[in-house]
Amino acid sequence: MITLWYKPGQTLQGLIASGKGRSVAVFIAAIFGVVQVWPAFAAQGSARPGLLLLGAFVGVAGLYLFSWLLRNFSRWFGGGAELVDVRTALGWGLLPWAGLFGLLLVLVTATSGDARQMFPLFFAAIVYGFVILLSCLAVALRLSLMKAFFCLILTFLVSIFPLTFVMQLFFGVPGPEAP
């Protein structure tokens, strides 16, 4: 879907109206999760192939969790969305970031870990990816861009602390050191 890059709102409206793109959204979320854990996998070599599977699972679980939270919080702002539409929007909205982080991994690997000269390009791409994500969510949530932004921020703030606690509890991620 090339039109996602220059007409994200209209593209998502078409996907929602036709009922297509739902399984692709889940696949994009799985790929996004794999891209996020790839550096840890590459550092440990092929000794832990289950790490990639865990990344895909966390990507899909995150898609479902954040879609549910976004749909519920959007009601506070006057939105009226179907859960499947929010999932589709969030999955497709992650496509630019999944591609961007994948490209960043390739560039960091090719330049032996020094890709600082690419910072301005990647910063612009992250901002543009965020705009695409917001446009997709605004269409699915039936909100303005500003209300979709506030809904996304609220969802992030509400979910970050419990998710951090769960990560520490189950995966032993160290917390702050006591003085």
Side-chain angles (χ1 to χ4, degrees), residues 43-58:
Q44 296 177 357
S46 61
R48 302 202 46 193
L51 197 56
L52 295 179
L53 208 54
L54 178 65
F57 173 77
V58 169

Side-chain angles (χ1 to χ4, degrees), residues 115-124:
R116 286 180 281 184
Q117 67 273 14
M118 300 297 288
F119 176 76
L121 177 66
F122 279 99
F123 182 75

Side-chain angles (χ1 to χ4, degrees), residues 10-51:
Q10 291 176 349
T11 302
L12 196 73
Q13 279 179 333
L15 287 171
I16 289 173
S18 67
K20 295 181 181 176
R22 295 173 180 170
S23 57
V24 175
V26 174
F27 179 73
I28 292 169
I31 294 299
F32 184 75
V34 168
V35 168
Q36 299 305 310
V37 299
W38 188 265
F41 173 77
Q44 296 177 357
S46 61
R48 302 202 46 193
L51 197 56

